[in-house]
Amino acid sequence: MARNPEKKRCKARSKQRDEQCKNWAKPGWDVCRFHGAGGGAPQRNTNAVKTGEFQSIWMDALTPEQAEVLETISLDPLQQADEEIRLITLREREMLLRIRDLNAGRTDKQRRILQKRATIKDPIKVDDEKTGGTKTVVLTREELVTAEIEETEYRAIEDILAVEEALTRVQDKKLKAIQLKAQLLSNGGGPEKQITVRRWSRDKSRT
């Protein structure tokens, strides 16, 4: 059997020569082994996950720990709303503490000190056994010394305003979660009555 029955060249381009690669493509691939054929991360890997906000979660690829946590999650709308309110309130408190710390440590100037390693010579007197007197010996040592001091204007108020702006968005989410809980309670505390009301409204609009 031929090593490359498809007789395809690698479709990748060489960065050095700016021309198409001349190697044979690996069977089942459009590129050769030097350009990623048969390599790379496995499917459904999480190498590119940064915040997890848009991470794809596959039910058949859950770890035992994830599957156990999934079973403990309540689908009750009221419990979901309560949990959301608690988490947002905790985040709100942490942001308020950050604003407090920024206000406490606010300063108009920030000092930048540049240090460098220098050779320091220390002359010391020692006893001379040959002459019976004393002589001066120079000892050298390495030490970090201040080479430059730079003071720059620093306005912590910009950081405070940024946190306050984010806090406003968090508080808006909290308000929506509270409104959702109030709506659920007014509908009887569960999704069944809410669905019934919606269906009744649709049926009534048809008559």
Side-chain angles (χ1 to χ4, degrees):
M1 182 178 179
R3 297 183 60 184
N4 192 343
E6 300 176 1
K7 295 294 182 182
K8 292 195 307 183
R9 293 287 184 180
C10 176
K11 292 185 178 181
R13 297 189 66 84
S14 173
K15 294 181 179 179
Q16 289 80 10
R17 299 187 300 271
D18 193 23
E19 60 183 20
Q20 184 175 345
C21 177
K22 297 180 180 179
N23 294 324
W24 291 106
K26 187 174 181 179
W29 294 75
D30 292 330
V31 293
C32 65
R33 62 187 182 92
F34 297 104
H35 287 105
Q43 292 184 351
R44 300 181 181 179
N45 69 88
T46 57
N47 295 342
V49 175
K50 294 183 179 180
T51 63
E53 183 178 0
F54 303 104
Q55 178 184 357
S56 298
I57 299 178
W58 306 90
M59 297 296 292
D60 58 343
L62 295 177
T63 63
E65 182 181 359
Q66 290 173 332
E68 183 178 353
V69 173
L70 186 64
E71 291 297 327
T72 62
I73 297 177
S74 173
L75 299 180
D76 182 77
L78 279 177
Q79 292 188 15
Q80 288 282 350
D82 287 338
E83 183 178 353
E84 182 71 12
I85 293 172
R86 291 192 186 98
L87 290 175
I88 294 177
T89 302
L90 179 61
R91 183 178 289 110
E92 180 184 20
R93 178 181 179 275
E94 293 298 321
M95 297 177 76
L96 288 172
L97 291 176
R98 179 169 176 79
I99 293 175
R100 183 199 65 183
D101 294 339
L102 287 172
N103 274 317
R106 186 172 59 185
T107 178
D108 294 333
K109 291 185 178 180
Q110 186 178 34
R111 175 173 292 187
R112 176 176 174 269
I113 300 177
L114 178 63
Q115 292 182 320
K116 67 177 182 179
R117 187 174 297 276
T119 301
I120 307 298
K121 296 181 179 180
D122 294 327
I124 59 174
K125 291 184 178 182
V126 297
D127 295 332
D128 190 348
E129 297 179 355
K130 294 182 178 180
T131 62
T134 60
K135 63 179 180 179
T136 302
V137 178
V138 177
L139 298 179
T140 59
R141 57 186 174 87
E142 299 290 331
E143 184 178 338
L144 287 175
V145 297
T146 300
E148 181 183 354
I149 298 179
E150 177 185 355
E151 286 189 351
T152 57
E153 296 292 332
Y154 176 74
R155 300 190 61 85
I157 190 64
E158 296 179 359
D159 293 341
I160 296 175
L161 291 176
V163 178
E164 288 180 345
E165 183 179 355
L167 179 61
T168 302
R169 295 192 295 268
V170 170
Q171 290 174 336
D172 183 59
K173 292 182 179 179
K174 180 179 179 180
L175 178 60
K176 291 180 180 179
I178 294 174
Q179 291 174 345
L180 174 62
K181 180 179 179 180
Q183 182 181 1
L184 291 173
L185 290 174
S186 65
N187 289 335
E192 293 82 4
K193 188 171 183 180
Q194 185 177 7
I195 295 174
T196 303
V197 172
R198 289 180 178 176
R199 288 178 179 174
W200 177 82
S201 300
R202 292 176 182 174
D203 294 340
K204 186 177 180 180
S205 62
R206 294 176 183 175
T207 58

